[in-house]
Amino acid sequence: MTRLPNRRSLQKFINARTTPLNLPIAVVLIDIDNFSWVNEKYGYESGNTLIAEFSQRLVFSAPGHSLAARIEGNRFALAIPGTYSRQEIYSMLSDQFLSLQNPFHICGEPVHLTYSAGVALAPDDGADSHTLLLHAERALDHIKKHGKNDIALYHASFHQEDLERQLAMSFRSALEQGEFHLSYQPKFNVHTGFIDSAEALIRWKSPLHGAVSPAVFIPIAEKNGFIFDLTKWTLNEACRQMKHWEQIEHPIKRVAVNISAPLFLSDRLPKMISEFLHYYQLDARCLELEITETAIMSRFEAAFDIIADLKKAGIAISLDDFGTGVSSLTYLKKLPIDTLKIDKSFIDGVHDSFEDKALVEMIIQLAKLFKLSVVAEGVEKQEQMNVLKKLGCDFIQGYLISRPECPDTLEARYMEKKYGS
């Protein structure tokens, strides 16, 4: 249709200059932005006509010693031999795109198109066609995700985006292969002097990626729609563990599970929780949900209704990382929550900073005003715990009490009577 060389010819052209000779060359991938709109409005035949005309313009505007190729669909490539700085290649391609800006005419109508491009330069970005095309592809994907209609030169930081894609593609198999597990971090009850609850924390140990931090994979799961399945697995596993602890009369009587904003604000959560509690024959008081301020404040009315439904079922609600967002006292007064969790950033200096101590004291007094319990997160020093006790904090959580542990470790501590004050 275009009479342009294909990917294989492009690879031969690049390799002839890189593999044996290590000569510099610029590899450019070009994508017509939103080309599907053309097919949808005018039909595929008109789209093919446009592709053919675009290919002619590309050949005409390309440097005479370069090779223009069609990779697939509306994606093209240029291989431009020669030494170019990053600014030089950017300026050259910018001028080239200007020459492509004239409208196409389809069915008598002018159609204006924009283009995105990713560039890899040999030898800095690769020394063979496979690597250069891969890196140009990463650069193109980067610019397509950040507004289109521009040119991106490959940068090593794009590997992070590639890692995100790899992790997203691994979620399903990781869940099926049992790569996720829960650790539990106990909460010390200041009033009783014993541990009676814990927070479930999801962990991922991948044979391919190693130990992946929740700070990395949770946002990726939210972005890629996997958070529902991941939270469903977490709730099921936490309820299963809670039932086991109930049967052996373990001192942990309640487990808290973190719920991300997208799932919390959906209508699927209450039904899911109800099904798990029924399946494991658990009292709703055995389960607590931890949600962030941002999950609530972004859609307050919806959040209020969901919290109200969960509260009717007897499930406790905890507001996590309190103080780090933009809280509204009016909202706090209206919400039927049970607990505030003070963020670690406030706890770090509570024992040696007048300002931090004053802030924590204010939060605790605020909680008492609204008849809420308070959990201090990230407590690592005895001095911090002493101050928190004096200020009236109800629960202490952090490395001073215990790191997140597997259930077997916590059961062993229970058997050794190590749960006292």
Side-chain angles (χ1 to χ4, degrees):
M1 184 173 66
T2 66
R3 300 184 182 277
L4 290 182
N6 59 15
R7 177 185 286 269
R8 183 175 299 175
S9 299
L10 175 70
Q11 290 172 326
K12 288 181 179 179
F13 184 87
I14 297 170
N15 284 332
R17 286 151 180 78
T18 56
T19 305
L21 303 174
N22 200 31
L23 295 175
I25 190 170
V27 177
V28 186
L29 290 186
I30 303 168
D31 190 274
I32 302 174
D33 296 330
N34 305 315
F35 183 74
S36 60
W37 297 355
V38 175
N39 287 332
E40 290 170 4
K41 183 174 181 179
Y42 300 102
Y44 285 97
E45 288 189 12
S46 295
N48 288 340
T49 302
L50 189 152
I51 287 289
E53 184 178 344
F54 173 81
S55 67
Q56 294 174 7
R57 293 190 188 185
L58 182 65
V59 171
F60 181 78
S61 63
H65 57 294
S66 63
L67 177 74
R70 184 189 184 201
I71 303 299
E72 60 182 357
N74 59 294
R75 184 159 294 188
F76 296 80
L78 285 175
I80 310 174
T83 302
Y84 299 95
S85 69
R86 297 172 72 83
Q87 184 58 49
E88 286 171 341
I89 196 68
Y90 185 89
S91 298
M92 177 192 294
L93 293 173
S94 296
D95 291 341
Q96 180 183 10
F97 280 5
L98 285 176
S99 68
L100 300 173
Q101 293 298 321
N102 293 331
F104 296 84
H105 287 84
I106 303 178
C107 301
E109 295 183 20
V111 177
H112 294 269
L113 300 177
T114 61
Y115 314 96
S116 300
V119 185
L121 299 174
D124 291 347
D125 299 332
D128 60 80
S129 64
H130 173 77
T131 305
L132 289 166
L133 285 168
L134 178 63
H135 288 174
E137 183 88 32
R138 284 175 175 157
L140 177 59
D141 288 347
H142 175 82
I143 205 64
K144 296 285 280 187
K145 291 178 180 177
H146 294 83
K148 303 180 180 179
N149 192 24
D150 204 350
I151 302 161
L153 280 82
Y154 171 76
H155 191 275
S157 63
F158 297 164
H159 279 288
Q160 180 60 35
E161 296 178 7
D162 189 52
L163 174 61
E164 288 189 10
R165 286 195 293 268
Q166 292 179 25
L167 292 177
M169 293 171 63
S170 300
F171 278 137
R172 180 69 57 192
S173 62
L175 199 57
E176 293 174 353
Q177 297 299 321
E179 295 174 17
F180 291 101
H181 69 277
L182 294 185
S183 293
Y184 297 84
Q185 187 169 36
K187 300 178 185 179
F188 177 78
N189 188 322
V190 174
H191 303 293
T192 66
F194 290 91
I195 287 171
D196 55 18
S197 61
E199 178 182 359
L201 299 168
I202 189 167
R203 299 290 185 258
W204 182 9
K205 189 173 183 180
S206 166
L208 180 61
H209 306 291
V212 187
S213 168
V216 173
F217 71 78
I218 292 296
I220 297 174
E222 293 177 344
K223 188 189 304 183
N224 291 276
F226 188 73
I227 196 64
F228 175 80
D229 292 328
L230 198 59
T231 306
K232 183 177 181 180
W233 176 88
T234 301
L235 284 165
N236 179 70
E237 181 63 18
C239 288
R240 184 197 63 78
Q241 185 61 51
M242 195 65 242
K243 184 62 178 180
H244 171 68
W245 280 341
E246 182 183 86
Q247 292 171 339
I248 65 172
E249 298 183 351
H250 196 278
I252 292 179
K253 304 299 182 186
R254 175 186 289 175
V255 64
V257 175
N258 292 278
I259 305 295
S260 71
L263 180 58
F264 180 76
L265 293 172
S266 76
D267 56 2
R268 296 183 287 183
L269 184 63
K271 181 180 179 182
M272 183 197 305
I273 292 173
S274 176
E275 290 175 350
F276 285 135
L277 292 175
H278 177 74
Y279 179 81
Y280 288 104
Q281 293 297 295
L282 282 173
D283 191 292
R285 289 173 295 181
C286 293
L287 186 63
E288 179 180 5
L289 304 183
E290 294 192 4
I291 56 178
T292 62
E293 292 182 58
T294 51
I296 293 176
M297 302 310 170
S298 60
R299 289 174 54 197
F300 176 76
E301 295 301 329
F304 179 88
D305 292 339
I306 292 169
I307 292 175
D309 289 342
L310 293 168
K311 287 286 293 179
K312 287 178 183 177
I315 298 166
I317 305 294
S318 177
L319 191 57
D320 201 7
D321 299 334
F322 185 79
T324 58
V326 185
S327 304
S328 166
L329 295 183
T330 302
Y331 288 170
L332 190 60
K333 179 181 178 181
K334 291 181 178 179
L335 288 171
I337 60 176
D338 302 277
T339 304
L340 292 183
K341 295 192 72 176
I342 306 176
D343 187 72
K344 182 181 185 299
S345 60
F346 296 101
I347 302 302
D348 288 341
V350 72
H351 62 298
D352 58 10
S353 166
F354 174 80
E355 291 82 3
D356 285 351
K357 181 180 178 181
L359 282 170
V360 171
E361 183 175 15
M362 180 183 69
I363 293 173
I364 292 175
Q365 290 177 351
L366 182 66
K368 301 303 180 185
L369 177 65
F370 293 131
K371 296 180 173 56
L372 307 175
S373 62
V374 182
V375 179
E377 295 183 286
V379 180
E380 299 177 353
K381 300 177 181 179
Q382 185 64 47
E383 295 89 343
Q384 295 170 336
M385 185 168 182
N386 294 339
V387 172
L388 291 165
K389 282 184 175 181
K390 291 180 181 179
L391 294 179
C393 188
D394 301 297
F395 296 91
I396 305 295
Q397 184 179 2
Y399 287 1
L400 179 66
I401 305 302
S402 173
R403 292 175 177 270
E405 302 284 6
C406 67
D408 290 345
T409 299
L410 295 183
E411 289 177 22
R413 287 187 185 176
Y414 165 57
M415 297 302 293
E416 296 170 5
K417 307 299 182 183
K418 290 184 177 180
Y419 271 117
S421 57

